[in-house]
Amino acid sequence: MRVDVGSSLDDLRRKASSVRPSPRQVAWQRQELTAFVHFGPNTFTDLEWGTGVDDPAVFDPSALDCSQWVRTLVSAGFKSVILTAKHHDGFCLWPSRYLPHTVAASPYRGDVVASLASACQEHGLGLGFYLSPADLYQEKANGGYYGNGSPVVSSEIPSLVVDESLPRFRYDVDDYNRFYLNQLYELLTQYGPIAEVWLDGANPTSTAQAYAYEAWFDLVRRLAPDATIAVGGPDVRWVGNEDGFARETEWSVVPFAGRQMVAEQTASDVAGPSLLRKADELRWYPAEVDVSIRPGWFYHAAEDSAVKSLPELLDIYRKSVGRNAVLLLNIPPDRRGLFAPPDVARLAEFGAAVREYYETDVSLPGTVNVIDLREDISHGQQVESFAVDALLDGEWTQIAAGTTIGHRRLIPLDEPVSVSAVRLRILSSRAEATAALSLHYDPTI
C-alpha cells in the first residue's frame, strides 16, 4: 500500500490496519513449523562454507534415505521442508544440465531433490528449495559466469529445451542471471509442487555480481504461483538473527521506502512509529526464524552431543511461532544421508511436547503457565497492546501483558497459576480487533 511520507501517525496506523497478506502468505504462516536441510559436500569435508572447488567425489552418502527425513519431520509436526539444492559452494544436489559440478559427477550419481520430492509427495509434506544466489564455483571455475562482466542480452528461458510442452520465457539478463534462471526453471518444473523458494543474502564471494531479482521473482510467480519467496524475496523476510527468536514486538506490516525496508532486518525495531513516518509504502512482510538443531548448519560428528535440549527447543518455539513468526529448524543429515540418532530422538520428543503442551488446552479451573493468543491474520494485524487477567480468589488480577499478537503469541508466566477464569483486554489497536485466547501448561518452563 502506498503512503505519503510525513503522513500523521494516525493516518499511517489506519492504512497499516488495512494491509492484508496474500493467500500464499496466510498458508505459509499457518504452517508454523518448517524444516531446513543443509546437505552437500560440506557434510563430507566438515566445513560450514565450501570453497567452490571441492571435488564432487567427496559427496558419497552411503545410505541416503529421504523417506527417513520426511517420516521424522511429519511425526514431529513439520509441514514442509527446504533443501539446500545449491549452497554457496555451487554444488548442485540435482543433475542440472547447466554445469558439471553436480551429483552426476559424484560417486552417488543420483538426484537428491527427486528423492526428497518423492518422499514429500508420499507423506504429504510440502517441498521447498534453497538456491544460493552467491556461487563460488561459478566465480572460480574456468569459464564461470559469476561476475564475468558479460553484457545484458535478451535471453530465452530455458536455454536448453527438453520438454516442448513447457512454457518458455524471455528476460534481459547477463550470463550469471541466465544461468540462475535456468536452474530455477529446472527446480520449479521437474519436482512437483514447490511450497517455498529460499534465496539467502549471505555472500562469501569476492567478485561483484548484480542479481536480476525481478526476473527471478517473475519466473517463480509464473511457474509456482503458490510458492512463497523467502529471505531476499517479496513474501517473507529474515528475522534478523540465527539464534531462534523473533522480537517481542513483531509486526507483519513493515514500512518500505524506495522499495527497501526502512529499517535493517537486524534492527531491534522494524516497524515502530518513527519508522512508519519514513515510509512511502507499507507491505505485509512476515518474519521467518531460522536456527539449527545443532551448533552448525551442516553435520559434524563432533556435534552429536550438542543437539539442542527439549527445553531449548520449546523456548525457541515460544519465541518464534509464539512471536508471530514461522520457525525454520535446520536438521542436517549425516554422511550416510540420514538424520543422526540424537536428532531423530530430539525431534520425536519435540513433536510430542508441542502436541501435549501447545496443541492441548487446559480446561478451567486449572493450572496454567502459558497464555496463547491469536489474531485472524487474513483480516490483517491490529493489536498494539493487550493485557490478560485471571480470576484469582474472586478478583480479576493481571497475569500477563504485551504488545503485538499477530498469527500467534505465546506468553510464558513467571510461575504457574491456578485459575477459574481468564479474560483478554485489548488496550490499543490499529482498527477494531478480536483475538482468540487459550491456556497451556508446559512443565519444562
Side-chain angles (χ1 to χ4, degrees), residues 244-316:
F245 65 89
R247 300 162 185 82
E248 291 199 43
T249 300
E250 194 68 76
W251 285 105
S252 293
V253 179
V254 175
F256 278 68
R259 306 187 70 180
Q260 300 291 326
M261 283 179 57
V262 171
E264 295 293 329
Q265 292 185 84
T266 54
S268 59
D269 175 17
V270 298
S274 63
L275 299 169
L276 288 176
R277 289 190 174 98
K278 298 177 182 178
D280 59 27
E281 183 183 4
L282 301 175
R283 295 185 192 177
W284 190 274
Y285 204 35
E288 187 168 52
V289 174
D290 60 322
V291 64
S292 186
I293 199 169
R294 291 162 167 259
W297 290 96
F298 286 87
Y299 177 82
H300 309 284
E303 295 177 355
D304 280 354
S305 61
V307 174
K308 288 181 171 59
S309 68
L310 179 60
E312 286 177 306
L313 288 179
L314 291 174
D315 185 57
I316 287 170

Side-chain angles (χ1 to χ4, degrees), residues 40-51 54-55 58 300 335:
N42 294 350
T43 308
F44 301 88
T45 59
D46 222 26
L47 298 174
E48 281 291 296
W49 280 13
T51 65
D54 302 300
D55 188 342
V58 304
H300 309 284
R335 293 182 180 183

Side-chain angles (χ1 to χ4, degrees), residues 193-231:
I194 299 298
E196 186 166 345
V197 177
W198 220 87
L199 300 180
D200 200 353
N203 190 347
T205 69
S206 57
T207 305
Q209 170 65 58
Y211 299 146
Y213 284 115
E214 293 306 315
W216 300 358
F217 301 161
D218 181 76
L219 187 66
V220 176
R221 289 287 188 255
R222 290 172 180 268
L223 294 174
D226 294 331
T228 51
I229 310 174
V231 185

Side-chain angles (χ1 to χ4, degrees), residues 113-353:
V113 180
S115 296
L116 181 57
S118 177
C120 286
Q121 290 166 16
E122 179 181 355
H123 296 282
L125 192 70
L127 173 66
F129 62 81
Y130 166 119
L131 189 67
S132 172
D135 191 318
L136 287 165
Y137 175 78
Q138 290 298 329
E139 179 187 44
K140 296 180 178 181
N142 290 332
Y145 302 130
Y146 196 91
N148 69 354
S150 57
V152 170
V153 297
S154 180
S155 305
E156 184 175 83
I157 304 297
S159 298
L160 302 174
V161 177
V162 177
D163 186 342
E164 293 286 351
S165 69
L166 292 175
R168 305 179 199 179
F169 308 97
R170 187 163 289 279
Y171 299 100
D172 294 336
V173 288
D174 64 10
D175 287 352
Y176 181 72
N177 283 287
R178 184 185 314 110
F179 167 78
Y180 193 91
L181 286 165
N182 279 319
Q183 293 208 306
L184 274 175
Y185 190 97
E186 288 182 319
L187 291 168
L188 291 168
T189 58
Q190 296 178 185
Y191 299 105
I194 299 298
E196 186 166 345
V197 177
W198 220 87
L199 300 180
D200 200 353
N203 190 347
T205 69
S206 57
T207 305
Q209 170 65 58
Y211 299 146
Y213 284 115
E214 293 306 315
W216 300 358
F217 301 161
D218 181 76
L219 187 66
V220 176
R221 289 287 188 255
R222 290 172 180 268
L223 294 174
D226 294 331
T228 51
I229 310 174
V231 185
D235 296 318
V236 174
R237 62 183 162 89
W238 180 46
V239 75
N241 68 77
E242 295 180 344
D243 299 317
F245 65 89
R247 300 162 185 82
E248 291 199 43
T249 300
E250 194 68 76
W251 285 105
S252 293
V253 179
V254 175
F256 278 68
R259 306 187 70 180
Q260 300 291 326
M261 283 179 57
V262 171
E264 295 293 329
Q265 292 185 84
T266 54
S268 59
D269 175 17
V270 298
S274 63
L275 299 169
L276 288 176
R277 289 190 174 98
K278 298 177 182 178
D280 59 27
E281 183 183 4
L282 301 175
R283 295 185 192 177
W284 190 274
Y285 204 35
E288 187 168 52
V289 174
D290 60 322
V291 64
S292 186
I293 199 169
R294 291 162 167 259
W297 290 96
F298 286 87
Y299 177 82
H300 309 284
E303 295 177 355
D304 280 354
S305 61
V307 174
K308 288 181 171 59
S309 68
L310 179 60
E312 286 177 306
L313 288 179
L314 291 174
D315 185 57
I316 287 170
Y317 179 82
R318 289 189 297 272
K319 291 177 178 176
S320 56
V321 173
R323 290 183 179 175
N324 190 38
V326 166
L327 173 58
L328 178 59
L329 181 66
N330 179 66
I331 308 98
D334 62 20
R335 293 182 180 183
R336 298 170 301 165
L338 300 173
F339 285 169
D343 307 63
V344 172
R346 188 69 74 243
L347 286 172
E349 292 176 348
F350 174 65

